[in-house]
Amino acid sequence: MTATGTFGLSTEARNLQWLLGNLVEEVPGLRSVAVVSSDGLLLLSSDPALNAAAPAGPAHRGGPRGSSADLATIVSGIGSLTIGAAQLMDGGGVKQTMVNMDEGSVFVMSISDGSLLGVHAEPDCDMSVVAYHMALFVGRAGHVLTPELRSELRKSMESVQ
C-alpha cells in the first residue's frame, strides 16, 4: 500500500487497517466503524480524516455527528457500562452489545485485552450480517492486536489529530 501516511507502519498495522476497510466496504448500511483500546482511545477508524494511515478508498459513509471519534466515545462508554453490569450480575465476559434506535443501531464487540470494535449502522441494516462480519473482524484481528500494535496505532492516530 502506498497511500499517504502508510509509510513507516508495520505490516500488522496496515493489515488491520485493510481488514477495517473491508468490513466497511462489504457490509451494507454501516455509517462508521471504530476500534477502541481498553482505555477508550481510538485506534482505528473508518473516517479517513481521522485515520491518515488508512488506505485510500470509500471507507467512511458518514452519519449525523456520527464520526468515528464520536463513535469511539460511545463505544468506550457502552463497553464500561456493560462490563460493570456483567460483573454485578456474575455474567462473565461481555461478548457483544447492541443498541437499536429509531434512526440506527450501535454494535459493540470485544476484540482482545479490553479492546472493542464499534459499529454505527443504518436503521434498516441486516443486524445478523453486521454481527457476522464483526465477528469475522474480531476473529482475524484479535490475535494481532498486541500491546505493541495498539501503541503503534495510538501514535498514528495522535499524529493526525
Side-chain angles (χ1 to χ4, degrees):
M1 291 183 216
T2 58
T4 304
T6 59
F7 296 110
L9 288 179
S10 67
T11 301
E12 292 85 5
R14 289 191 308 260
N15 286 343
L16 207 54
Q17 292 168 338
W18 180 82
L19 284 172
L20 184 90
N22 263 3
L23 173 67
V24 174
E25 290 175 17
E26 290 179 8
V27 182
L30 299 189
R31 290 180 175 165
S32 60
V33 180
V35 175
V36 181
S37 67
S38 60
D39 53 359
L41 296 175
L42 183 61
L43 298 178
L44 281 175
S45 167
S46 63
D47 187 347
L50 292 175
N51 195 9
H60 178 62
R61 297 197 178 127
R65 293 180 305 176
S67 75
S68 296
D70 294 337
L71 180 60
T73 302
I74 293 164
V75 167
S76 180
I78 289 172
S80 293
L81 180 64
T82 55
I83 289 168
Q87 288 172 346
L88 284 172
M89 297 179 198
D90 294 326
V94 178
K95 296 179 183 178
Q96 180 178 351
T97 305
M98 189 198 71
V99 179
N100 192 6
M101 305 166 285
D102 289 339
E103 298 301 322
S105 297
V106 174
F107 300 82
V108 179
M109 192 173 284
S110 298
I111 299 177
S112 65
D113 296 338
S115 296
L116 301 166
L117 171 64
V119 170
H120 179 208
E122 299 286 338
D124 60 346
C125 73
D126 185 331
M127 292 181 202
S128 61
V129 170
V130 173
Y132 173 75
H133 282 275
M134 287 178 72
L136 287 178
F137 179 92
V138 166
R140 293 173 180 156
H143 67 282
V144 295
L145 200 53
T146 62
E148 295 81 18
L149 183 55
R150 285 193 300 274
S151 177
E152 178 183 358
L153 292 169
R154 272 190 207 135
K155 288 176 185 170
S156 74
M157 291 301 289
E158 289 170 0
S159 69
V160 295
Q161 292 177 343

